[in-house]
Amino acid sequence: MAIAFGREICGNLSSAETREWLITNGIGGYGSGTVAGLLTRRYHGLLIAALEPPLARTLLVAKLDETATYNQGIYSLYSNRWTHSQLEPLGYHHIEYFTLEKNIPVWYFACGDARLEKRIWMQQGANTTYIQYKLSRATAPLTLNLKALVNYRDHHQESSGKDWYMTVKPVERGVCVIAHPQATPFYLLSDRGTSCCEHSWHYGFELAQERYRGLNDREDHLQAASFEVSLKEGDAVTFVATTEIEANLNGKTAMQSYYFHTEKLLDRFQSELPFDKKDPPEWVGQLVIAADQFIVDRPDSKYGTMGKTIIAGYPWFGDWGRDTMISLPGLTLATGRPEIARSILRTMGHYVDQGMLPNRFPDSLETPEYNTVDATLWYF
């Protein structure tokens, strides 16, 4: 059964802000957020890039705040919680439906008699996130305005915009953001419409889940660009957040590439099933796709090649040796991918020291920590 929520969930803040989505890129980068569109964790964002795959995960793009103008009406489709728990605006009221297509999160917004669809996914093997909007129903043109909010910090931390000036400059089809002289440049691009450089800090985002955890619950984000596009019924526009200057801006081919990847996973799984179990329930396929989110690339320190490893859990953890060994059969063998299991075992085997496998690889790429006694037993 597909994951799908109607207005009874999407229009109820306590339900919509506690249901979260996840997208990944196969090299340790990810994006995550809530069905309501609110940022409630420091780990929420459209592009949290793995700058030294699979680690050094860095929040680059926090969110896009969308406003639609349609038939003389103005519809704020985004939601923010500010200091002292003030909610403004209440864009989640316009969500009539949320679902997953494979594992692409999809929102359906109602703007009068118009329906605007929003999809988010990542390119496999690249720090690139796609955000696509499609006007699937309308009786008049709709103008979509986006404010792109960015940052540049470790995903475990929080940041303040005070006295922080980033370099934002125009490039073809969008803008380039350089947070500081040593930072990796990243880009906000679009396949159509107009873009404008901005530099306006938005102060005092309140992160409800961080407050619940007893941690600092305040965050600032920089509005680095604004985009505007006019859509007619059936039109689509794709925005790209990326560290790649030559990123593919064609939303159609980018989505086809993503679906090709997921179909290969499902086909491989189906081919390995016993003859009498060739037609499993739909939710089993969803689990196969979800399992792939945890399998990422890791450079092989011994041979200088690229191996595979397993992220112990999003958003907090990197790849942990013990967790990798425990989860390996279910994520690789049960899904019909023994070659991935082989690569993980070989990669981890090259880190053996005095008979022990490393338990944790620090984000800063320091020496792995050998603080588990049974990871080797799980290996065997």
Side-chain angles (χ1 to χ4, degrees), residues 64-86:
L64 296 179
D65 281 351
E66 313 104 331
T67 301
T69 303
Y70 176 73
N71 269 346
Q72 301 182 328
I74 299 176
Y75 302 86
S76 296
L77 306 181
Y78 62 100
S79 302
N80 288 320
R81 178 181 282 111
W82 305 99
T83 304
H84 307 305
S85 299
Q86 177 186 355

Side-chain angles (χ1 to χ4, degrees), residues 139-350:
T139 57
L142 180 147
T143 299
L144 184 63
N145 182 274
L146 302 179
K147 294 183 293 186
L149 301 178
V150 307
N151 212 305
Y152 196 96
R153 61 156 174 82
D154 182 279
H155 72 148
H156 292 306
Q157 306 299 321
E158 65 279 331
S159 61
S160 169
K162 184 179 180 181
D163 300 326
W164 185 0
Y165 187 86
M166 298 190 193
T167 299
V168 183
K169 59 184 181 181
V171 295
E172 186 177 1
R173 309 305 306 169
V175 306
C176 171
V177 181
I178 304 176
H180 55 77
Q182 291 75 41
T184 299
F186 62 97
Y187 306 88
L188 304 166
L189 308 169
S190 175
D191 64 350
R192 59 184 297 184
T194 60
S195 62
C196 179
C197 295
E198 307 276 358
H199 197 285
S200 174
W201 280 98
H202 292 220
Y203 298 99
F205 288 89
E206 186 175 275
L207 307 176
Q209 286 299 317
E210 301 306 326
R211 182 177 67 251
Y212 174 78
R213 297 172 65 209
L215 303 175
N216 187 0
D217 63 353
R218 297 293 186 269
E219 179 83 300
D220 303 334
H221 296 300
L222 175 69
Q223 181 183 339
S226 60
F227 294 84
E228 185 172 290
V229 63
S230 180
L231 302 173
K232 296 182 294 184
E233 184 178 25
D235 286 349
V237 58
T238 303
F239 295 89
V240 185
T242 181
T243 59
E244 309 287 335
I245 183 59
E246 300 294 335
N248 175 23
L249 300 189
N250 188 314
K252 182 178 181 180
T253 60
M255 186 176 290
Q256 287 174 341
S257 176
Y258 174 83
Y259 280 128
F260 178 74
H261 172 74
T262 59
E263 289 302 324
K264 281 179 60 179
L265 295 175
L266 295 174
D267 289 346
R268 183 65 180 273
F269 170 67
Q270 289 277 5
S271 68
E272 298 293 329
L273 287 176
F275 182 77
D276 60 344
K277 297 182 180 179
K278 287 293 185 183
D279 190 24
E282 182 181 350
W283 60 265
V284 175
Q286 191 72 50
L287 288 178
V288 171
I289 297 172
D292 182 62
Q293 292 182 310
F294 295 88
I295 298 170
V296 300
D297 294 340
R298 168 171 279 283
D300 190 314
S301 62
K302 183 172 182 177
Y303 294 109
T305 57
M306 191 62 71
K308 294 290 185 180
T309 186
I310 292 174
I311 294 292
Y314 294 96
W316 294 282
F317 306 120
D319 49 338
W320 290 49
R322 185 175 188 272
D323 297 66
T324 294
M325 294 304 107
I326 293 172
S327 62
L328 183 146
L331 296 182
T332 63
L333 301 180
T335 58
R337 305 171 75 189
E339 76 285 356
I340 300 297
R342 182 183 302 113
S343 177
I344 293 170
L345 292 172
R346 182 180 292 118
T347 300
M348 284 292 176
H350 294 157

Side-chain angles (χ1 to χ4, degrees), residues 21-69:
W21 53 267
L22 172 73
I23 56 174
T24 63
N25 65 358
I27 58 172
Y30 67 95
S32 67
T34 66
V35 169
L38 282 167
L39 303 175
T40 64
R41 301 184 188 273
R42 63 186 64 185
Y43 303 98
H44 285 163
L46 294 174
L47 176 58
I48 299 171
L51 298 182
E52 297 176 12
L55 301 175
R57 289 169 291 182
T58 305
L59 173 65
L60 301 183
V61 181
K63 68 197 303 270
L64 296 179
D65 281 351
E66 313 104 331
T67 301
T69 303

Side-chain angles (χ1 to χ4, degrees), residues 325-380:
M325 294 304 107
I326 293 172
S327 62
L328 183 146
L331 296 182
T332 63
L333 301 180
T335 58
R337 305 171 75 189
E339 76 285 356
I340 300 297
R342 182 183 302 113
S343 177
I344 293 170
L345 292 172
R346 182 180 292 118
T347 300
M348 284 292 176
H350 294 157
Y351 287 94
V352 170
D353 186 8
Q354 299 184 60
M356 293 190 297
L357 286 174
N359 190 42
R360 190 173 81 90
F361 293 87
D363 274 349
S364 57
L365 299 185
E366 300 164 353
T367 302
E369 298 177 3
Y370 292 83
N371 55 6
T372 178
V373 297
D374 63 346
T376 306
L377 301 180
W378 284 107
Y379 183 98
F380 280 97

